[in-house]
């Protein structure tokens, strides 16, 4: 589905979570290459493993590559003009949650989590881990969320009460 106004969105992916999967895939691929290379000398040294054993690390590399691509490409948080869209890791299309800017009373962003408070007492809201987002992008997220919440509060105060 094409985006109506993609220039008004900020997407934050799970790129930080992709790193271990990329490393695991690279290690599996290197193990497969090593097994094939060593297996080529099997005629001279029968104790060496058969090159067919390279299929095992290749089979392990496949899901690691798929998970790494998914984490790198798919969104975790999207900041839109309507609010913050939160996509869970499993079944993101069905379990997506939208938190509208009008619901957010206050927001706190530290190095580990994003806290969205729904009331002045800060007793209701959600806490989102920032571990999936790369560290350099967390400052951008903090500025965007805090700036948007501040602007929304100022607009709410400026509106006349009916």
């Amino acid at each position: 589905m094409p985006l109506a106004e993609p220039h008004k969105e900020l997407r934050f992916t799970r790129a930080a979570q992709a790193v271990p999967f990329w490393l695991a895939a690279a290690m599996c691929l290197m193990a497969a290459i090593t097994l094939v290379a060593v297996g080529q000398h099997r005629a001279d040294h029968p104790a060496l493993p058969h090159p067919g054993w390279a299929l095992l690390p290749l089979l392990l590399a496949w899901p690691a590559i798929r998970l790494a691509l998914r984490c790198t490409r798919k969104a975790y948080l999207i900041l839109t003009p309507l609010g913050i869209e939160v996509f869970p890791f499993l079944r993101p299309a069905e379990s997506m949650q939208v938190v509208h800017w009008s619901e957010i009373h206050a927001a706190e962003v530290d190095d580990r989590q994003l806290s969205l408070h729904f009331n002045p007492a800060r007793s209701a809201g959600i806490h989102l881990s920032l571990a999936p987002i790369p560290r350099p992008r967390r400052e951008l997220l903090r500025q965007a969320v805090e700036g948007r919440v501040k602007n929304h509060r100022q607009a709410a105060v400026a509106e006349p009460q009916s």
Side-chain angles (χ1 to χ4, degrees):
M1 178 171 147
L3 299 174
E5 297 177 300
H7 60 281
K8 293 184 180 179
E9 288 188 349
L10 281 177
R11 293 174 73 87
F12 295 92
T13 64
R14 298 177 176 275
Q17 282 181 324
V19 173
F21 295 117
W22 283 120
L23 290 173
M27 289 174 29
C28 288
L29 291 173
M30 290 306 298
I33 291 169
T34 301
L35 286 171
V36 168
V38 168
Q40 298 300 317
H41 301 287
R42 195 170 192 288
D44 300 333
H45 307 284
L48 292 175
H50 190 275
W53 281 104
L55 288 176
L56 181 63
L58 284 177
L59 290 174
L60 294 174
W62 178 248
I65 290 170
R66 288 193 50 156
L67 281 171
L69 283 172
R70 180 177 178 182
C71 289
T72 304
R73 291 181 180 169
K74 302 296 181 180
Y76 172 48
L77 297 173
I78 300 179
L79 279 59
T80 68
L82 293 176
I84 300 175
E85 297 176 6
V86 182
F87 295 89
F89 188 73
L90 299 174
R91 294 184 300 280
E94 297 87 20
S95 305
M96 179 190 105
Q97 180 179 1
V98 177
V99 179
H100 296 279
W101 293 115
S102 59
E103 295 177 83
I104 302 171
H105 183 269
E108 297 174 10
V109 183
D110 61 25
D111 195 41
R112 296 181 305 134
Q113 72 180 10
L114 166 63
S115 300
L116 303 174
H117 304 287
F118 297 157
N119 61 13
R122 298 182 182 211
S123 60
I126 59 173
H127 300 285
L128 302 166
S129 173
L130 296 183
I133 300 174
R135 288 192 186 278
R137 300 283 183 241
R138 294 178 191 174
E139 179 61 23
L140 175 62
L141 175 66
R142 185 190 65 76
Q143 290 175 0
V145 169
E146 289 178 354
R148 183 63 173 102
V149 169
K150 180 181 173 186
N151 289 343
H152 182 70
R153 270 198 312 251
Q154 289 173 351
V157 170
E159 286 181 5
Q161 299 294 327
S162 16

